[in-house]
């Protein structure tokens, strides 16, 4: 799911639900039975006769490593009052009064249904008046997604800093351990749990994509809108404001996986690892001006060439460019990147690759050497780079979960790359470039 924002506590105004009403609600006293959990939390794509909403909550101090929660429990609908509203009334009346105004707290919800439009609006108002609280909402199923207002409500939550995500296997397991009368039995995933999660997650990403890319805004630009960004003196840089499509999570895990051999995927024993290129342009002060991703298609230009065409069409000056590649460049792409860098020494280009492409062939090694000699830094993606790539190009609201052997594979590829440098006598040159700021000082 997605992480939330926290901040100093603001004053409570009339928009605060808890301040404007005085209704008393309490969590249900008992843990959820296994039968109820299996019935109400099963993440079916089409669920019938599940009219109740269960809300499992946990309150913790933010930035606290302790696994112990301040309080936790379960709410469900009471009459015509939805579980989310019951929680807000109770939380305002029983919990907020004893929490320190100077501390920040995180509230996590595990819900059988995502909030409806009216509840989302009420929760968003609550967050807007209690800035020392952050909220993460994990939903097993999406409620009434055919209604555009439902999507508006979820986007409103994100705009107020809430994390909204679909429940995956880790969330179901945590919910089972903490809120279900499980008799000490481990959670046994039901059939198609992961498949249904991918469906729910993809639908949720479609709904929230405008929030991820453009953020809170009073007006949403159309696909044809463009904006002029003025950051560096004398620079004119046109950036398309159309929404960058995010990579699907399964695509990222398959294509950026840094294992030497292709890993089997469910019913397929083989899949083609394609050349993806994710790029981000930044000014010297860290301000991001543009980002996107490109894919090489069979029989057409490689992603690196498409990237160069895009960059050449812009009037850039004194810029940092970071690229994440699934495969290191082929010799032709490497030589063209090197030529571009020599023509534009004021641009700093840093390439991270997940895997090395035909690294044992001398012609491919020569291509890599041309990159280093031109001043382009070429490194292997490790956990920080995979995490950054995930946050910027896949799902900024859901934490990256490393696969088994990620760091071990990265170290192995780094050793290969180091041996290539040493065999061509470039180790000292590369070290000098890494300690040198290319181009004129950025100010």
């Amino acid at each position: 799911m997605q992480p939330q924002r926290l901040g100093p506590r603001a004053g409570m105004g009339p928009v605060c639900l808890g301040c404007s009403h005085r209704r008393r609600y309490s969590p249900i006293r008992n843990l959820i039975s296994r039968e109820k959990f299996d019935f109400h939390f099963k993440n079916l794509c089409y669920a019938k006769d599940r009219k109740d909403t269960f809300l499992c909550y946990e309150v913790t101090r933010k930035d606290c490593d302790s696994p112990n929660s301040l309080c936790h429990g379960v709410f469900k609908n009471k009459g015509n009052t939805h579980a989310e509203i019951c929680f807000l009334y109770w939380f305002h009346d029983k919990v907020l009064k004893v929490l320190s105004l100077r501390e920040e707290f995180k509230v996590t919800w595990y819900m059988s249904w995502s909030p409806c439009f009216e509840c989302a609006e009420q929760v968003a108002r609550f967050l807007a008046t209690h800035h020392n609280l952050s909220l993460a909402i994990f939903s097993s199923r999406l409620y009434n997604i055919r209604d555009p207002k439902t999507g508006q409500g979820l986007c409103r939550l994100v705009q107020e800093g809430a994390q909204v995500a679909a429940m995956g296997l880790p969330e179901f397991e945590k919910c089972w351990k903490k809120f279900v009368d499980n008799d000490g039995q481990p959670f046994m995933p039901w059939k198609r749990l992961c498949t249904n999660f991918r469906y729910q997650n993809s639908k949720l990403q479609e709904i929230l994509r405008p929030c991820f890319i453009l953020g809170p805004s009073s007006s949403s630009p159309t696909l044809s809108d463009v904006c002029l960004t003025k950051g560096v003196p004398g620079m004119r840089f046109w950036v398309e404001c159309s929404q960058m499509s995010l990579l699907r999570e399964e695509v990222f895990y398959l294509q950026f996986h840094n294992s030497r051999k292709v890993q089997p995927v469910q019913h397929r024993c083989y899949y083609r690892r394609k050349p993806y290129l994710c790029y981000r342009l930044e000014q010297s002060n860290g301000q991001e001006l543009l980002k996107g991703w490109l894919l090489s298609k069979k029989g057409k230009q490689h992603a690196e060439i498409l990237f160069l065409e895009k960059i050449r069409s812009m009037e850039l000056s004194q810029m940092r460019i970071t690229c994440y590649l699934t495969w290191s460049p082929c010799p032709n792409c490497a030589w063209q990147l090197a030529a571009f860098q020599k023509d534009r020494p004021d641009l700093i280009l840093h390439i991270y690759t997940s895997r090395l492409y035909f690294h044992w062939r001398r012609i491919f090694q020569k291509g890599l050497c041309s990159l280093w000699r031109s001043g382009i830094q070429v490194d292997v993606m490790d956990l920080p780079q995979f995490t950054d790539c995930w946050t910027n190009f896949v799902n900024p609201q859901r934490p990256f979960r490393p696969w088994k052997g990620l760091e071990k594979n990265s170290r192995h590829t780094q050793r290969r790359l180091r041996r290539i440098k040493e065999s061509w006598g470039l180790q000292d040159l590369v070290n000098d470039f890494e300690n040198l700021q290319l181009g004129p000082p950025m100010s």
Side-chain angles (χ1 to χ4, degrees):
M1 282 293 332
Q2 309 147 355
Q4 310 315 96
R5 74 154 178 162
L6 293 170
R9 182 171 184 166
M12 300 180 197
V15 296
C16 172
L17 185 67
C19 289
S20 56
H21 296 80
R22 289 300 178 189
R23 300 183 185 179
R24 294 190 174 184
Y25 292 96
S26 299
I28 60 178
R29 295 183 178 181
N30 301 321
L31 295 173
I32 304 173
S33 68
R34 286 177 289 179
E35 293 76 14
K36 282 187 177 181
F37 179 81
D38 288 340
F39 181 76
H40 287 284
F41 276 86
K42 186 169 288 188
N43 59 346
L44 301 172
C45 298
Y46 303 97
K48 296 182 179 180
D49 301 324
R50 290 162 171 83
K51 298 180 180 180
D52 285 331
T53 298
F54 282 81
L55 184 157
C56 305
Y57 68 89
E58 183 178 24
V59 182
T60 58
R61 286 186 173 86
K62 193 178 182 187
D63 301 327
C64 178
D65 296 330
S66 173
N68 299 323
S69 57
L70 299 176
C71 58
H72 64 273
V74 181
F75 277 93
K76 63 173 291 189
N77 294 357
K78 289 194 175 181
N80 294 326
T81 306
H82 289 188
E84 302 94 310
I85 307 304
C86 294
F87 173 88
L88 292 184
Y89 287 140
W90 168 83
F91 186 80
H92 187 282
D93 190 46
K94 299 293 185 182
V95 181
L96 276 181
K97 292 180 179 179
V98 299
L99 295 182
S100 170
L101 301 180
R102 297 181 180 180
E103 287 190 87
E104 296 180 338
F105 300 90
K106 180 175 181 179
V107 181
T108 304
W109 288 356
Y110 303 95
M111 302 182 63
S112 57
W113 286 107
S114 62
C116 66
F117 172 73
E118 290 79 8
C119 289
E121 282 291 318
Q122 296 282 18
V123 175
R125 292 180 185 178
F126 191 85
L127 291 174
T129 54
H130 301 81
H131 291 177
N132 66 328
L133 301 177
S134 71
L135 176 63
I137 303 175
F138 296 87
S139 302
S140 173
R141 299 182 301 272
L142 297 175
Y143 175 74
N144 196 22
I145 56 176
R146 294 183 179 180
D147 186 350
K149 293 182 68 177
T150 302
Q152 295 172 15
L154 296 178
C155 282
R156 175 90 164 85
L157 286 170
V158 173
Q159 289 172 342
E160 288 299 337
Q163 302 172 12
V164 181
M167 287 182 70
L169 181 58
E171 288 77 39
F172 283 114
E173 288 178 338
K174 184 169 183 179
C175 199
W176 172 270
K177 291 177 182 178
K178 204 171 193 76
F179 304 102
V180 178
D181 186 9
N182 55 46
D183 290 333
Q185 299 297 314
F187 175 65
M188 299 296 294
W190 46 79
K191 186 178 179 181
R192 298 182 64 81
L193 183 151
C194 293
T195 302
N196 293 340
F197 160 73
R198 287 193 291 270
Y199 170 80
Q200 303 286 352
N201 188 54
S202 65
K203 291 297 182 183
L204 185 60
Q205 288 191 46
E206 290 178 12
I207 293 171
L208 299 181
R209 186 161 288 149
C211 306
F212 295 164
I213 305 303
L214 298 176
S217 175
S218 57
S219 61
S220 299
T222 63
L223 294 179
S224 59
D225 288 339
V226 295
C227 61
L228 177 63
T229 303
K230 297 180 179 178
V232 179
M235 183 190 77
R236 297 179 69 249
F237 181 28
W238 289 91
V239 183
E240 291 185 2
C241 281
S242 60
Q243 300 171 13
M244 180 195 79
S245 61
L246 297 173
L247 285 170
R248 299 200 311 274
E249 293 185 9
E250 58 269 25
V251 169
F252 179 84
Y253 279 115
L254 290 177
Q255 300 298 337
F256 275 87
H257 201 294
N258 62 351
S259 62
R260 286 178 288 172
K261 297 182 180 180
V262 173
Q263 302 296 316
V265 181
Q266 288 189 347
H267 305 297
R268 293 183 295 168
C269 60
Y270 171 79
Y271 63 91
R272 180 168 169 253
R273 297 205 277 195
K274 302 177 182 179
Y276 281 81
L277 185 153
C278 302
Y279 61 90
R280 184 172 72 246
L281 279 64
E282 297 175 299
Q283 296 180 14
S284 58
N285 59 4
Q287 179 184 354
E288 184 180 277
L289 295 182
L290 180 67
K291 65 181 178 181
W293 60 269
L294 299 164
L295 169 63
S296 300
K297 294 187 178 180
K298 191 174 182 179
K300 297 184 179 181
Q301 289 181 319
H302 288 190
E304 295 91 334
I305 306 304
L306 297 174
F307 167 73
L308 287 178
E309 290 178 353
K310 189 177 188 69
I311 298 302
R312 286 193 178 106
S313 67
M314 303 174 183
E315 298 180 30
L316 299 178
S317 176
Q318 298 185 354
M319 196 72 54
R320 291 190 179 95
I321 306 174
T322 302
C323 295
Y324 297 113
L325 282 74
T326 54
W327 289 108
S328 59
C330 71
N332 180 59
C333 291
W335 292 328
Q336 294 207 39
L337 285 167
F340 172 78
Q341 179 67 78
K342 291 177 180 178
D343 291 339
R344 300 300 307 273
D346 56 322
L347 301 181
I348 299 177
L349 179 57
H350 200 152
I351 294 176
Y352 292 96
T353 182
S354 173
R355 302 178 299 272
L356 297 178
Y357 188 57
F358 285 104
H359 60 89
W360 59 89
R361 297 178 61 178
R362 296 287 288 179
I363 188 67
F364 285 81
Q365 294 180 9
K366 193 174 181 180
L368 292 174
C369 291
S370 69
L371 294 174
W372 287 316
R373 289 191 176 106
S374 70
I376 296 176
Q377 298 182 50
V378 182
D379 290 306
V380 176
M381 292 179 71
D382 206 343
L383 182 57
Q385 288 76 42
F386 283 111
T387 303
D388 184 66
C389 188
W390 172 276
T391 302
N392 281 283
F393 303 101
V394 184
N395 191 340
Q397 301 297 318
R398 188 178 183 88
F400 171 60
R401 294 192 179 96
W403 50 82
K404 184 179 179 180
L406 182 151
E407 293 179 294
K408 179 181 179 181
N409 294 336
S410 290
R411 289 193 297 271
H412 189 276
T413 309
Q414 287 165 359
R415 287 195 296 269
R416 285 179 179 169
L417 194 62
R418 186 168 59 250
R419 286 196 292 267
I420 294 174
K421 296 175 187 176
E422 294 170 350
S423 67
W424 287 81
L426 294 178
Q427 186 61 48
D428 293 338
L429 175 64
V430 173
N431 291 339
D432 290 341
F433 274 126
E434 290 175 351
N435 296 324
L436 175 68
Q437 177 171 345
L438 303 176
M442 294 188 177
S443 58

